[in-house]
Amino acid sequence: MSVEELDQEPFSVHEFVERLTSKTMGARARGRPEDFDPMMLHGAFEKMISDLQEKNAKVQKDIDSWEAAAREEEKRHWGRVGELQKTNQNLYTDFQKLDERISYVATKVVHLGDQLEGVNTPRARAVEAQRLMNYLAEFLQEQPLTSAVLTDPFQLMVTADIIQKLHMIALELPVGGRFDRARQKIAEKYDHVEQELIEEFRLSHQQTDKRKMKRIASVLQNFKGYGKCIETFIVESQKGAFLKGSPFEEVVPLCERTWTLITEVFVNPDSVMGKFVQHIFQNRIQGHVASMLEDRSEPEQYLKNLFDLYTKTNKLAGELGKFKLGADSAFLTKLTRAIFSQHLDKYAEVELRYLHTRCGSILTHYYESKDHHKRQLQSGGIHDLKRDIQAKIGTVTKAGQGVENFGGETFLSQEVAINILQETKNAFRRCQVLSYSSDLSGNAVKIFEVLVTYLVTEHIDYAVEIGLLGIPLAEPKAQPEIYFFDIVNEANTLFHLFEKQFLDSLIPLVLSSQRHGVCLKRKRETREQLEQKIGMGLDRSITAIVGWIRFIFTTEQKKTDFKPEEDAPMQMISPACSKVVRALTAFVESIRSSLDGQNVEICMTELGKRFHRMVYEHILNFQYNSIGAMLVICDVNEYRKCVKEGMRIPIITQLFERLHALCNLLVVVPENLKVVRSGEQLADLEDSVIQNFVQHRDDYRTARIANFIK
């Protein structure tokens, strides 16, 4: 085994020793223990250690040789670095000397240039003055101009420069004498050259010669007709545009194209762009707006057009804000207001007049479709008493119907409400856009008052008033037809729509103004007035229901029902109870189907309390034997079942359960009265109540009942 294996990668000492041992011992390494020769292995190890030491000495010698060569190379490298540093220092010194020399020469050159300019400027001015005097001399003569510069049309730019300067000189010449003719000729030439330049500018624009346009614009900047040059540019730039009906879609692309050309031609692009946009607004936009808003015979279409045009113009102004249009930040706003000012000043007047007409027309059309003529209604106090007396007289004399219920018509329409709400919603949107900021909240409140007048007062409140007139009398002689519950249901639905628009459309317009509180108060008062009338109607309706049930008890319930003969057939419930339950169930179902939310609970609670009081008082009107007591218990049980399943008001159910427990006192044997009286339902009742109730047993005196409940 050779030491060359040490150079293999990866190298493992353990594996190297194992291979050396295996090659030295051969097959004897796996034989019997007595065949093992340790001296042979020892010799192999000594020889390999000797080889390794020789290998180590050779490697160390190579390392020493390489280190010596590296030190020699490092020494030579540092020598070259030193020479380079010395050379760099010499170059830096030479550069400083050269820089100082250049600065010295530049100073001399600038000084020499100043001296030359000081000598040349007066000379050039003198030459220019002499040249202008020569041209002025031609204008002083009576003969036609002969100078090529003044007559050659191909030297128009040079001619323009000279004539502009001559024009300035002519303004300084004394008035009168021989200079008047010269001044006139110069003015005529000045106007002629100006017209020529503007015409050249127009032709160059048509040929898209930007360089020539820029040169002419630069020359005309010193002329009085520079504004005409800009006007020519504006007119030429708009040729072929605005051929469609509406100009709004074309403005921004046209301005983008024109802005690029303006920046390349004019030295004051902001001012030119401002005039370009102003021309579009005052001619194209204003003309379109005037034609669209000329006809005011149809207010609805006029308002729609005004809103649409003003919105589009404001949007256009916002898109044009990216261009530089001068120093006035409100430039576009002023242009817009100038176009629409005559319309915006009268907007509120037109809006309110239209709303009154439109909402009134909606209501009129609805009532005509119902063949109903609106009445002037008066309610409260003497008017309600007069109504009741007339209805009573009509019932007693049978001259006609006691009250007029209009066949169950509610006179409420969601379609009418939605139409009015849609009109006012559109009006609120227009108000937000078309009103001046100082008038916004005031105009919004006026629109809100229109909404209150036509939707709440003239429609919802009127229907409730009509419904109040149609409620039956408190003591009906026939089963009453009560439609007021339907009116309440529809009135609540419409008022919720009204409140939603109040929050969505009005409040954002008045939130930051003092009118916010006024509007909240107005809505609260409107709601309270409506709730007061609805409450009055519900109370009357419940009174009519209770009155009818009382009439049933009075006419149907007989004394013999609860004190029958011993051999009389047993009844499960009395005829009066059966009729009352049917009537009450019908009324409860009507209330539950018509009302919702708290109205159901309030109405059911009030009806249940009155019904319980009436049943209680009705029971106390009779004397009961044992069979009659069983019958009244069955009757009360039917009443309890009716209110529990129909009304679903826990407190009313509890009242009838207690009444049922009281009725048990009429049937139990005297010895058990005290036990029943101490039951859960009757324990908290006063003794006087119990005493008053058991007095209606027919055996109260004979059985000495009073002694059993003390």
Side-chain angles (χ1 to χ4, degrees), residues 323-350:
F323 300 107
K324 297 179 181 180
L325 304 177
D328 189 358
S329 59
F331 176 69
L332 292 171
T333 303
K334 292 178 180 178
L335 289 177
T336 304
R337 285 298 172 89
I339 295 173
F340 290 94
S341 59
Q342 60 174 330
H343 302 284
L344 299 181
D345 291 342
K346 298 182 179 180
Y347 156 70
E349 178 184 344
V350 176

Side-chain angles (χ1 to χ4, degrees), residues 198 201-202 205 227-237:
I198 292 174
F201 183 86
R202 186 182 65 80
H205 187 282
K228 295 182 180 179
C229 173
I230 296 176
E231 292 177 5
T232 301
F233 173 82
I234 292 172
V235 172
E236 291 295 325
S237 298

Side-chain angles (χ1 to χ4, degrees), residues 359-360 362-367 369-370 372 374 377 409-421 450-467 487 490-491 493-495 497 530 533:
C359 294
I362 292 173
L363 289 179
T364 301
H365 178 73
Y366 170 72
Y367 291 122
S369 68
K370 298 294 182 180
H372 174 75
K374 290 195 70 176
L377 300 177
E409 178 61 54
T410 63
F411 292 107
L412 286 170
S413 169
Q414 287 196 23
E415 181 181 356
V416 169
I418 290 172
N419 288 338
I420 293 176
L421 288 168
V450 174
L451 176 61
V452 171
T453 299
Y454 288 95
L455 178 59
V456 180
T457 304
E458 296 294 331
H459 190 56
I460 301 177
D461 192 75
Y462 176 77
V464 172
E465 290 278 4
I466 288 290
I487 295 175
E490 294 186 29
T493 300
L494 301 190
F495 198 82
L497 296 175
L530 185 62
K533 293 180 180 179

Side-chain angles (χ1 to χ4, degrees), residues 3 43-56:
V3 296
F45 281 175
E46 286 183 339
K47 183 178 183 304
M48 181 53 65
I49 291 171
S50 176
D51 293 342
L52 289 173
Q53 288 175 342
E54 292 178 1
K55 177 69 173 177
N56 182 60

Side-chain angles (χ1 to χ4, degrees), residues 39-78:
M39 296 307 296
M40 180 184 296
L41 187 59
H42 182 269
F45 281 175
E46 286 183 339
K47 183 178 183 304
M48 181 53 65
I49 291 171
S50 176
D51 293 342
L52 289 173
Q53 288 175 342
E54 292 178 1
K55 177 69 173 177
N56 182 60
K58 182 179 179 182
V59 170
Q60 186 63 42
K61 183 178 179 181
D62 291 340
I63 291 173
D64 294 342
S65 174
W66 291 339
E67 287 180 347
R71 284 193 295 272
E72 184 66 25
E73 180 64 26
E74 182 181 8
K75 184 178 179 181
R76 290 195 300 272
H77 172 72
W78 282 112

